[in-house]
Amino acid sequence: MNNKMPFPLSKEKSFYESLNDWIGDTLYDDLTEKGFECRDEQIYMAFQIEKALKEKKVLFAEAGVGTGKTIAYLLPAIAYARYTGKPALISCADETLIDQLVKEDGDIRKISEALGLDIDVRLAKARDQYLCLKRLDEAGDTINEDYIDDIEDSIPEFVKGNASLQSIYPFGERSDYPDLSDEQWKTVNFHPIQQCAACDIRNRCGQTIHRNHYRESLEIIICSHDFYMEHIWTKESRKRQGQMALLPEVSMIVFDEGHLLEYSAQRALTYEVQNSTLVNLLERVLVDGVREKTLQLIERLIETHDAFFMMLNVYADFTENDRKAIEKAPELISLGKEAIEISTNLLEEFVFEGELFVIPEYDLKIVEEYMDQYIYSMSLFTSENDAVDWLEDRQGETTLVIMPRLVTDILRENLFSSDTPIVFSSATLSVGESFEYLAGGLGIQDYLSFSVDSPFDYDEVMEVFATNVETDEKAARTLELLEEPEQTLLLFKSEHAMNVFKEQVPSAWKNRISFEGDRELSSLVRNFQQKRIEVLCSYHLWEGLDIPQDALTRVIIYDLPFPPSDPLFDARRNHAIDAFREVDLPFMLLRLRQGAGRLIRTSADTGTVHLLLDDEEQKMHKEIKGIFPVAIKMNV
């Protein structure tokens, strides 16, 4: 039993009874006396979470904007962590939302000060959110740009061995370099091919130091959905390799913006084969002294791999979708199997090369690990199974992506079969008052659920306008709206749609408008909230963005956020009786509700939502009108 409990425990009451009493006293009295608003919806949500803890169940907690969801789940999470001696995990949709949760004026800081609780909060960010010292060294040899020098100058002295180990501290997060574009950051951040276990400077690496820090948490760990799913995906394999899991054992889990967990699972539970990665890695082992047989196999593999990717481009369905379907032509499968055979033989030769100590150990380790994954991935692609695969462009790199099976089965087996209490928190979890769309996609069969409305009077503070506009005229209509200065969030269904609009924005608007990807996203959000920029364009910020009052007074929905017609969503459609009603429409309605929900965040907020609907989207008017808290006004 933890002696730091926020309330006393006694033999007369169970922990859960005492927790229930403390939640009521805190929300009804203690926080109200400190200036917090007493909200019945918030109190109800907190009590429902206490019930889920007691019954060790999954809970879908759908609570409207303004409910105070964060405080409602933080109070029971803190108490439960202290009671069990294991930290509670809060998983957010992305890194930007993590930063908002822990910001100076965020809910965690507020309740810590109001209740006198010293809350131990530690961040566990995805691995690609950290600087890789090895890649930075490599980039310094090949990239002649000032940002590389700036990063190198920022490295702490202890990394270079010029300071006491007692002065070691966490460093190298993505947020430490807000002025870098996403493209620049991807030249120096952690990449999955890196072999941290074999790295000679891993004990001075920022990622390692951060890992050690959050693993010692006693109370709250905050991570992204992507990182949590990577933890689930790699947990067993890391144990087999004698490594610690990415996250420690936790007492409970809160998925904030939990409706997005499925898509994070899809991203995490995949294998990737890139066009140039294999070639670049093999070139690292082409050193003097390598045996002739090994050199011949490397040359054959490079030729076969190049031919395979050329064939992939021939049989890929090149549309504007990010994920391109692939026709499994016999000649393509044959090339894939040939690459597997050569790779297997090459791995056997690497055993002999390792005994000769000609190839640097770190480089050989990287290549061997990647070759193992390459063989497994290509085997999945070339064999008859229920894997889902597609081709996509990732930062200019042609990438074959393979998902072994739909994430539903994996999540059911590895996450929802345990007795760990799990809370899904969001303003949008249900469709038509049913949670089956979300539960079915995640493989959850037994759960608790509730819905409470927002306490705001939307008729007084919000207007929604729909404009019928031809597809090729949307950009011009948007620019007309933006001529009237106002703090505006402009939302797109995809990166492609955003970039098409970006090409039509006049150069004179450069100082008024910013696009996702121009800089680190959380820094763009801060600049927008501080009114340094007037218009923020994004395809990710449909959910979780919390910018109150006059920092955001207008939201423009450029296009309805239907899911793409790509292999991943097609796999879900193939398992549905009515694909449109069971997959496409629920996805769009959930995301549209979230996008509109960015506007009114507090009782002091006002503003407008503008929907730009082409002829096809106008057919959805009946479906979309019911998701807004006010009537839609039609513009000609």
Side-chain angles (χ1 to χ4, degrees), residues 1 8 15 115 136 156 225 234 247 307 345 442 511 522 533 593 603 618:
M1 188 178 298
F15 163 76
L115 300 177
L136 177 62
H225 294 347
T234 62
L247 290 165
N345 294 334
L442 293 169
N511 294 328
S522 62
I533 54 176
R593 283 176 63 193
S603 57
Q618 282 285 348

Side-chain angles (χ1 to χ4, degrees), residues 67-112:
T67 300
K69 293 184 287 294
T70 306
I71 292 177
Y73 67 64
L74 274 175
L75 292 179
I78 292 167
Y80 197 63
R82 295 184 178 188
Y83 175 68
T84 60
K86 294 189 293 186
L89 180 81
I90 300 173
S91 178
C92 299
D94 57 36
E95 308 297 335
T96 304
L97 302 185
I98 293 176
D99 290 334
Q100 292 201 68
L101 193 60
V102 298
K103 62 185 179 182
E104 288 294 320
D105 58 346
D107 286 333
I108 293 179
R109 178 64 61 86
K110 287 178 181 177
I111 66 168
S112 176

Side-chain angles (χ1 to χ4, degrees), residues 10 20 43 85 161 192 262 314 316 398 465:
S10 67
N20 196 292
I43 296 167
E262 180 184 356
V314 171
T398 302
F465 298 95

Side-chain angles (χ1 to χ4, degrees), residues 28-55:
Y28 277 120
D29 299 323
D30 298 344
L31 289 180
T32 303
E33 290 177 2
K34 298 292 178 61
F36 287 72
E37 191 175 335
C38 184
R39 300 166 179 167
D40 290 337
E41 298 87 355
Q42 182 185 64
I43 296 167
Y44 180 79
M45 176 175 173
F47 285 149
Q48 292 301 304
I49 292 175
E50 179 268 323
K51 180 181 179 182
L53 295 179
K54 183 178 181 180
E55 298 183 13

Side-chain angles (χ1 to χ4, degrees), residues 328 380-381 383-389 402-406:
K328 296 288 189 71
L380 283 174
F381 179 79
S383 61
E384 294 184 6
N385 52 52
D386 57 355
V388 181
D389 44 61
I402 305 116
M403 183 188 299
R405 49 186 171 145
L406 290 176

Side-chain angles (χ1 to χ4, degrees), residues 94 190 243 400 475:
D94 57 36
F190 172 83
Q243 301 179 29
L400 172 63

